[in-house]
């Protein structure tokens, strides 16, 4: 659910960005039906998730939420981290967040014919409510949590997760600041392995 981080880490490649966006909506070997660069975006998304789940700072953030949220803790931290990326965007990009978000929405929309059905349903909501920009605000994060709580497969307290963020805000932000440069470097290195292979 951390759409902003995934799109940012696509390094300005439109097709990698699209692959990164649709990865959570694709199951099994369906990724192999996409052309090479979109397939690379799907694989990058999964590499990002794998690296994130193993990082000690992500584990510390998750631990703060574990007693209350259990297996939903990872998803919640993902969204918390998108908040800190959006809030501190100017530290990571020279492109204004509003411009980056607009370009991302337009890029994904142009590939509408290859989007999985669920991704096609998500995109209009994402664009209308400008999720990527509104992640800067606590109200935007709260709205995301409320939506996730409604869609959760099992009973959850995600609707109250904003309280957990406010309670330990500085600690979560410190975790993010230590974690994100590691993730950015890892993602860059992962993509560089394919740079001389014609993807």
């Amino acid at each position: 659910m951390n759409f902003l981080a995934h799109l940012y880490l696509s390094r300005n490649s439109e097709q990698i960005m699209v692959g990164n966006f649709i990865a959570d909506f694709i199951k099994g070997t369906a990724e192999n039906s996409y052309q090479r660069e979109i397939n690379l975006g799907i694989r990058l998304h999964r590499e990002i998730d794998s690296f994130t789940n193993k990082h000690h700072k992500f584990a510390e953030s998750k631990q703060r939420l574990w007693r209350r949220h259990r297996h939903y803790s990872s998803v919640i931290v993902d969204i918390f981290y998108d908040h800190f990326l959006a809030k501190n965007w100017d530290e990571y990009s020279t492109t204004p967040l509003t411009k980056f978000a607009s370009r991302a929405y337009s890029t994904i929309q142009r590939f509408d014919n290859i989007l999985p059905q669920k991704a096609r349903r998500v995109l209009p909501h994402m664009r209308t409510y400008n999720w990527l920009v509104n992640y800067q605000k606590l109200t935007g994060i709260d709205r995301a949590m409320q939506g996730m709580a409604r869609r959760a497969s099992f009973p959850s307290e995600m609707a109250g997760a904003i309280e957990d963020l406010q309670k330990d805000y500085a600690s979560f932000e410190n975790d993010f600041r230590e974690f994100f440069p590691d993730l950015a470097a890892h993602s860059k290195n992962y993509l560089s392995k394919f740079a001389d292979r014609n993807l």
Side-chain angles (χ1 to χ4, degrees):
M1 295 301 297
N2 50 334
F3 291 116
L4 181 59
H6 281 289
L7 295 172
Y8 169 80
L9 293 168
S10 298
R11 301 189 61 77
N12 295 319
S13 165
E14 292 189 347
Q15 289 158 312
I16 290 176
M17 181 179 281
V18 171
N20 217 332
F21 175 71
I22 66 175
D24 278 338
F25 304 101
I26 294 173
K27 305 300 179 188
T29 58
E31 66 187 69
N32 296 324
S33 64
Y34 292 94
Q35 60 100 341
R36 287 182 178 183
E37 198 166 356
I38 290 176
N39 180 277
L40 177 56
I42 295 168
R43 285 182 283 138
L44 173 63
H45 181 110
R46 293 173 179 167
E47 183 67 21
I48 288 168
D49 285 352
S50 176
F51 180 86
T52 297
N53 289 330
K54 294 173 185 173
H55 197 280
H56 66 286
K57 280 300 176 184
F58 187 82
E60 287 180 25
S61 287
K62 206 166 70 168
Q63 189 60 41
R64 291 191 197 94
L65 300 172
W66 186 255
R67 179 173 292 182
R68 183 180 186 187
H69 298 285
R70 300 292 172 177
H71 63 281
Y72 289 115
S73 299
S74 294
V75 179
I76 294 169
V77 174
D78 277 344
I79 293 181
F80 286 1
Y81 282 10
D82 254 11
H83 164 65
F84 293 118
L85 176 56
K87 174 192 167 189
N88 300 297
W89 181 260
D90 292 346
E91 297 179 26
Y92 302 101
S93 177
T94 56
T95 302
L97 179 56
T98 51
K99 185 175 180 179
F100 176 87
S102 179
R103 189 174 69 221
Y105 301 141
S106 296
T107 296
I108 296 166
Q109 187 67 59
R110 285 203 307 277
F111 287 82
D112 180 74
N113 62 314
I114 64 150
L115 298 182
Q117 191 62 39
K118 287 184 179 179
R120 197 175 288 133
R121 287 200 299 267
V122 165
L123 182 59
H125 296 285
M126 189 176 178
R127 191 169 196 167
T128 298
Y129 296 102
N130 206 357
W131 290 0
L132 301 180
V133 173
N134 284 326
Y135 281 159
Q136 292 179 98
K137 308 169 188 172
L138 290 180
T139 52
I141 296 301
D142 190 32
R143 190 177 300 116
M145 293 298 176
Q146 300 287 341
M148 287 173 53
R150 288 193 298 272
R151 295 187 298 272
S153 303
F154 302 98
S156 78
E157 293 189 51
M158 281 190 287
I162 194 69
E163 299 163 4
D164 301 290
L165 176 58
Q166 290 170 315
K167 176 186 172 186
D168 289 311
Y169 193 90
S171 296
F172 283 118
E173 184 163 20
N174 288 338
D175 288 349
F176 169 79
R177 285 184 174 279
E178 289 193 45
F179 157 78
F180 196 71
D182 291 348
L183 175 62
H186 182 79
S187 299
K188 182 178 180 180
N189 289 338
Y190 181 82
L191 287 176
S192 72
K193 291 191 300 184
F194 300 91
D196 299 323
R197 302 184 198 175
N198 294 319
L199 300 176

